[in-house]
Amino acid sequence: QLTLVESGGGLVQAGGSLNLSCVDFGRTLSVYTMGWFQQAPGKEREFVAAIDPSGEMTRLADNVRGRFSIARDNAKSTVYLLMSNLQSDDTALYYCAGKGGGLPMSRAGVDYWGQGTQVTVSS
């Protein structure tokens, strides 16, 4: 079972960078595929990025490819979302997610969610 807590959100200017972290306090993260989703006001929660348990394979949404990356440190039970060249459209609540099995990751397939961390990009 995962107990996920995100951190690292905040206010950043367009073109800036921000790194999100998600820690699993249950310390079982290493066997799960992990990912990030974003939810803007009035919109559905959408897939951003995912990484398999080994960290060798990743998936990124088309709108963030080339700007965002995902990484994990299983020894620290932590997954990261590294965001650069942020734009106003990236403003959203970002959720950490975990699922059993491998990639891909969809919203319907998520088994565990964090509480979310807010990212606001000012233009």
Side-chain angles (χ1 to χ4, degrees), residues 79-103:
V79 62
Y80 305 96
L81 184 66
L82 311 176
M83 306 184 293
S84 63
N85 192 19
L86 284 159
Q87 304 300 316
S88 57
D89 287 348
D90 298 318
T91 294
L93 196 59
Y94 283 75
Y95 292 92
C96 181
K99 65 179 283 286
L103 294 168

Side-chain angles (χ1 to χ4, degrees), residues 14 18 29-30 32-34 41-42 48 58 72 114-116:
L18 209 57
L29 180 144
S30 64
Y32 291 90
T33 288
M34 301 299 298
V48 175
T58 63
R72 65 192 297 158
Q115 84 288 351

Side-chain angles (χ1 to χ4, degrees), residues 3-80:
T3 305
L4 303 174
V5 178
E6 303 97 331
S7 63
L11 176 64
V12 63
Q13 289 188 332
S17 300
L18 209 57
N19 295 331
L20 306 183
S21 298
C22 172
V23 176
D24 166 38
F25 284 91
R27 302 197 67 80
T28 61
L29 180 144
S30 64
V31 300
Y32 291 90
T33 288
M34 301 299 298
W36 292 90
F37 289 73
Q38 63 181 187
Q39 187 166 18
K43 294 188 177 181
E44 293 187 347
R45 196 170 298 187
E46 298 179 339
F47 171 78
V48 175
I51 187 166
D52 77 329
S54 72
E56 293 180 358
M57 293 191 296
T58 63
R59 296 289 187 272
L60 293 168
D62 289 343
N63 63 319
V64 303
R65 190 171 292 116
R67 300 187 299 121
F68 292 12
S69 63
I70 185 170
R72 65 192 297 158
D73 185 337
N74 286 339
K76 295 183 178 180
S77 294
T78 303
V79 62
Y80 305 96

